[in-house]
């Protein structure tokens, strides 16, 4: 298969982790005889520095001319600490999502067997967790009208949803649940918000088309609690933009590190793949950022084009790396000599030699004498 992929590394650790994902995709292309071509462009704080614009026109048109986008991370402390900044890196990402119509953000969450001890949550609570979060991505409070009064003392963000916006992601969530464990949990705040009541109404109607799928409702405050009390109850979570943002960060605790969570943002025409973590500026350039979220986002990219065997091989490689503790310090502080690049090298190497995976990878590639 021929795929043109736009690579938008962005800020902070974005470039480091994205490099590993690209390396892995190149290995897949070579092993499975695909032709993947990559073109890189600026987005976020780096794009503000270089072009005065968090989403330069050239970046947007590159994205529109490719089959898929691999996104790194966005954000910089100099903007986080300056509420008066007129231009912010995040605007680049939000505009990109909106311009490309990426209305559904799919965030898989699972508890890896080999990492059950790494989560602050008890093993018995997280063992077996397998959740797919369907977060609406181009509507709600993120995109509603924003106001600040002349005296600067009053501000507002409008949370607005249309029936159509709810319907299109709800259908995706029900279809996904039908291929999983047949349950959709709608997370909202329908006891308070009018927009949430619209969600309940529309989603209840759509559920009629999916008789095999059970629909449950949870208020977001309760959902936040249930996520750590009993996350196994969830199959597909369907929710609006901001609740999805918050719940998915919370859910990442189950896996043991936010550095493991991948995502796919899809629309009718375009698709973008991005780790859910941010730019982690404290780690920039240190080789400690976990590239797995980016690598697994690349696997989701392959799945999107029906390259399921290829995607599966990446997931097996990742699993193996976790089992062998070839992991960055966010997961295994005792192995802090294992860098972002080392993890990517392992996954690449596994793709080239999947059958030979029990050899002492660390001896060969990391120059260590540890026998595994
Ligand atoms: C995410 C991020 C973004 C969001 C930020 C960087 C704008 O937190 O993708 O979850 O809030 O959507
Ligand atoms: Mg977020």
């Amino acid at each position: 298969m021929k795929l043109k992929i736009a690579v938008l590394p962005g800020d902070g650790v974005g470039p480091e982790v994205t490099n590993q994902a690209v390396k892995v995709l190149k290995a897949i292309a070579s092993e499975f005889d695909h032709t993947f071509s990559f073109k890189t462009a600026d987005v976020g704080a780096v794009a503000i520095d270089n072009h005065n614009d968090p989403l330069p026109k050239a970046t947007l048109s590159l994205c529109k001319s490719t089959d898929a986008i691999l996104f790194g991370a966005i954000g910089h402390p100099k903007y986080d600490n300056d509420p008066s900044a007129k231009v912010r890196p995040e605007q680049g990402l939000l505009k990109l999502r909106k311009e490309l119509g990426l209305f559904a953000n799919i965030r898989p969450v699972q508890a890896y067997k080999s990492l059950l001890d790494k989560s602050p949550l008890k093993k018995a609570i997280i063992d077996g967790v397998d959740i797919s979060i369907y977060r609406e991505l181009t509507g709600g409070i993120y995109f509603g009208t924003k106001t600040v009064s002349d005296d600067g003392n009053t501000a507002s963000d409008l949370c607005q949803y249309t029936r159509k916006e709810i319907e299109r992601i709800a259908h995706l969530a029900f279809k996904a649940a039908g291929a999983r464990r047949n349950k959709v949990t709608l997370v909202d705040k329908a006891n308070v918000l009018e927009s949430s009541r619209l969600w309940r109404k529309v989603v209840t109607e759509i559920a009629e088309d999916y008789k095999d799928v059970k629909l449950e409702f949870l208020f977001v405050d309760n959902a936040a609690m249930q996520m750590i009390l009993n996350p196994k109850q969830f199959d597909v979570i369907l929710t609006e933009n901001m609740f999805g943002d918050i719940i998915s960060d919370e859910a990442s605790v189950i896996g043991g590190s936010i550095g493991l969570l991948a995502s796919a943002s899809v629309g009718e025409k375009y698709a973008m793949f991005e780790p859910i973590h941010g730019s982690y500026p404290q780690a920039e350039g240190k080789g400690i950022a976990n590239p797995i979220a980016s690598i697994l986002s690349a696997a989701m990219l392959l799945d999107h084009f029906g390259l399921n065997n290829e995607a599966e091989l990446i997931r097996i490689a990742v699993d193996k790396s976790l089992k062998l503790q070839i992991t960055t310090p966010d997961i295994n502080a005792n192995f802090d000599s294992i860098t972002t690049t080392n993890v990517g090298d392992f996954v690449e190497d596994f793709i080239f030699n999947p059958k030979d995976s029990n050899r002492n990878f660390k001896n060969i590639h990391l120059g260590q004498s540890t026998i595994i």
Side-chain angles (χ1 to χ4, degrees):
M1 182 179 277
K2 278 200 172 121
L3 285 180
K4 282 193 273 180
I5 300 170
V7 181
L8 273 46
D11 304 322
V13 299
E16 301 163 47
V17 296
T18 310
N19 274 345
Q20 305 313 312
V22 168
K23 182 159 77 188
V24 167
L25 283 171
K26 285 183 176 163
I28 290 285
S30 130
E31 272 304 283
F32 289 82
D33 270 334
H34 299 304
T35 309
F36 298 161
S37 61
F38 301 90
K39 279 202 179 132
T40 303
D42 285 344
V43 71
V46 67
I48 300 177
D49 290 347
N50 293 343
H51 318 272
N52 243 331
D53 183 349
L55 180 64
K57 280 203 178 68
T59 302
L60 183 59
S61 55
L62 172 71
C63 292
K64 288 188 170 168
S65 69
T66 45
D67 299 301
I69 302 144
L70 192 62
F71 191 93
I74 212 162
H76 193 284
K78 72 180 171 202
Y79 301 96
D80 295 346
N81 302 331
D82 176 12
S84 67
K86 290 264 173 303
V87 187
R88 314 184 66 83
E90 290 78 7
Q91 290 163 345
L93 176 57
L94 298 181
K95 188 167 173 208
L96 194 57
R97 290 171 177 171
K98 192 73 171 179
E99 290 275 340
L100 301 178
L102 306 173
F103 63 84
N105 181 223
I106 302 148
R107 300 186 158 184
V109 177
Q110 58 164 302
Y112 291 92
K113 287 272 179 234
S114 48
L115 298 183
L116 289 177
D117 288 327
K118 301 291 169 197
S119 170
L121 300 176
K122 289 198 178 88
K123 224 174 175 168
I125 289 179
I126 60 172
D127 193 5
V129 167
D130 176 9
I131 305 172
S132 190
I133 299 175
Y134 275 65
R135 168 189 177 195
E136 202 289 327
L137 203 59
T138 51
I141 199 165
Y142 272 58
F143 291 94
T145 308
K146 296 177 189 306
T147 67
V148 183
S149 65
D150 290 342
D151 66 3
N153 291 329
T154 308
S156 70
D157 300 272
L158 178 70
C159 180
Q160 179 172 296
Y161 268 107
T162 63
R163 166 179 284 274
K164 194 179 154 243
E165 285 173 322
I166 299 167
E167 281 173 353
R168 58 189 184 180
I169 185 163
H171 280 295
L172 293 186
F174 277 100
K175 281 187 189 124
R180 292 171 48 95
R181 302 192 309 279
N182 290 304
K183 182 170 161 186
V184 169
T185 305
L186 175 64
V187 170
D188 64 21
K189 189 73 186 174
N191 49 347
V192 176
L193 301 178
E194 208 54 66
S195 53
S196 283
R197 287 192 277 273
L198 181 64
W199 270 83
R200 275 207 187 195
K201 182 166 165 254
V202 173
V203 172
T204 305
E205 286 167 23
I206 287 174
E208 291 295 309
D209 298 345
Y210 301 89
K211 296 273 190 230
D212 294 340
V213 178
K214 185 164 181 262
L215 173 62
E216 282 189 0
F217 305 104
L218 267 189
F219 296 139
V220 62
D221 46 352
N222 188 9
M225 182 173 69
Q226 297 297 329
M227 186 59 80
I228 47 178
L229 267 184
N230 178 19
K232 273 183 261 190
Q233 70 186 286
F234 297 118
D235 177 16
V236 171
I237 290 179
L238 168 62
T239 191
E240 59 105 81
N241 204 343
M242 184 144 90
F243 297 158
D245 180 44
I246 298 168
I247 287 280
S248 57
D249 267 32
E250 189 193 8
S252 75
V253 174
I254 294 168
S257 167
I258 196 166
L260 297 171
L261 253 68
S263 88
S265 303
V266 300
E268 264 150 35
K269 214 163 155 201
Y270 302 105
M272 181 160 97
F273 301 85
E274 50 176 317
I276 87 153
H277 63 70
S279 57
Y280 193 13
Q282 309 85 321
E284 184 177 347
K286 294 191 181 147
I288 57 172
N290 194 334
I292 296 294
S294 186
I295 291 171
L296 289 175
S297 298
M300 291 184 87
L301 183 158
L302 297 171
D303 270 331
H304 182 78
F305 293 98
L307 304 177
N308 307 108
N309 292 336
E310 290 82 337
E312 193 52 26
L313 184 55
I314 294 179
R315 280 190 278 264
I316 294 170
V318 164
D319 229 25
K320 193 82 188 175
S321 76
L322 297 176
K323 273 195 192 110
L324 294 176
Q325 299 191 320
I326 297 166
T327 51
T328 43
D330 52 314
I331 291 178
N332 207 332
N334 302 330
F335 284 81
D336 60 359
S337 58
I338 292 173
T339 65
T340 310
T341 308
N342 293 150
V343 175
D345 286 347
F346 175 83
V347 174
E348 176 192 47
D349 195 77
F350 186 96
I351 289 163
F352 286 131
N353 308 288
K355 301 234 158 58
D356 190 21
S357 58
N358 281 321
R359 70 208 173 289
N360 290 329
F361 172 84
K362 282 186 193 172
N363 295 339
I364 298 166
H365 298 269
L366 306 183
Q368 294 179 355
S369 55
T370 330
I371 305 290
I372 299 161

